Structure formats: C-alpha cells, structure tokens
Amino acid sequence: MLVSPALRRAAAQPNVLFGGVYGAVLASSMVAALTQYGETGRGERLYDARWLLITAVASALAHGYAHLIARRGDGSCPGVLGALRVLAAEWPLVVATLPTIVILLGAGWGWWRSAGIEYVAFGFNIALLFAWGLSAARAFGRTWRSALAVGCADALLGVIVVVANALIK
C-alpha cells in the first residue's frame, strides 16, 4: 500500500515529531533514574508508572506554557481558547510515554516479571526513536537507504542522550 507524500508530511508535523522523540527520551530517562537503586518490586513499578505519567503531563504543560510566553513576545498571544489549543498541541509528548507506562504497569500488576523490565522499556523506546527518524526522513522524500541511516543515527543519538541523562540523575 502506497501512502501519498502529502499524507506522510501531515504525519510528520513538527509538534508530533518533537513530542514523539521527546516523550521516548523522557520515558527512558525516567525509568533509568527511577530504577537506579535496583528497586524492582511490583509496587515500585506502579510507582514508576505513576511518576512517569505525572512527569510527562508536567513536561507537556511546561512546553505549552513556554510556547505561550514566546507568542506573547512576538505579539501573537492567542487568547484563552488559543492558549488551550497550544497546551493541547503537546499531546504527542504524553502519548509517546504511554507504551513505557503500560510496560511498567504490566510489571506492577504481575503480567510479566518486574525485574529487568527497564531494559525492555529502554529497548522499546530506542526502537521508537528509530521509527521516528525513519518516518520523518521518508516523509520528507529521502530514499529508503538514506531514511534507514537517519533512523539508525537517531536511535544512536537517543541512546547517548538517555545514558547521559541517567548518569546525570
């Protein structure tokens, strides 16, 4: 099935790409930071899922708020409804953390082992970063070979950022 270039570009809107990438990195960094002391029990995984969701929503609100302040600076303050639209436009960041939240909840509820689940979440998020890079490159007309290289580079960059964040925290 072929997808039109216009449809590919619509799916690769900057706020969707930004939110998807940021959410995947945030989820991996949070899981690394929350499990750095080796707490792997079911209760800890439920706690981790809750804090990841809270952090994702807070980050989305902070980004939306920053966009509102920036728009005031150029005189295009959108009003109350416009402000709500700006805040709501940050949904991709929260949605990108949901797979990791489900992974953590599943471990907390006993659907699968709790110990080591952070590696599964990390691997899944690196795969997401690869997919975001690949899809963005394809949406903007790159060949499959070039898009695969971009996806691999984006995944590698994601690994570097997540490891740096984990070391800092």
Side-chain angles (χ1 to χ4, degrees):
M1 180 170 142
L2 296 174
V3 178
S4 74
L7 184 57
R8 282 193 308 236
R9 279 198 266 318
Q13 295 173 2
N15 73 308
V16 174
L17 293 171
F18 173 85
V21 169
Y22 194 99
V25 170
L26 175 70
S28 291
S29 298
M30 284 291 297
V31 169
L34 290 167
T35 59
Q36 71 178 345
Y37 298 110
E39 299 294 330
T40 61
R42 289 173 53 183
E44 284 84 11
R45 296 308 182 186
L46 293 173
Y47 173 87
D48 294 349
R50 182 175 43 246
W51 274 108
L52 176 54
L53 180 60
I54 290 167
T55 303
V57 170
S59 295
L61 289 172
H63 285 168
Y65 178 62
H67 286 291
L68 287 173
I69 298 300
R71 288 184 180 181
R72 278 189 205 143
D74 69 4
S76 64
C77 187
V80 174
L81 289 177
L84 291 174
R85 276 193 296 274
V86 169
L87 292 173
E90 297 296 328
W91 65 266
L93 191 158
V94 177
V95 169
T97 65
L98 292 180
T100 302
I101 291 169
V102 169
I103 289 169
L104 292 171
L105 287 173
W109 291 331
W111 293 351
W112 40 76
R113 286 181 25 158
S114 182
I117 201 68
E118 65 272 15
Y119 300 110
V120 174
F122 181 69
F124 186 85
N125 286 314
I126 296 308
L128 278 179
L129 292 172
F130 169 79
W132 283 117
L134 174 74
S135 63
R138 287 295 296 154
F140 293 103
R142 296 233 178 153
T143 64
W144 275 105
R145 183 176 180 187
S146 174
L148 287 168
V150 168
C152 288
D154 287 347
L156 179 60
L157 184 58
V159 169
I160 292 167
V161 169
V162 168
V163 169
N165 278 333
L167 292 175
I168 290 169
K169 295 176 180 170

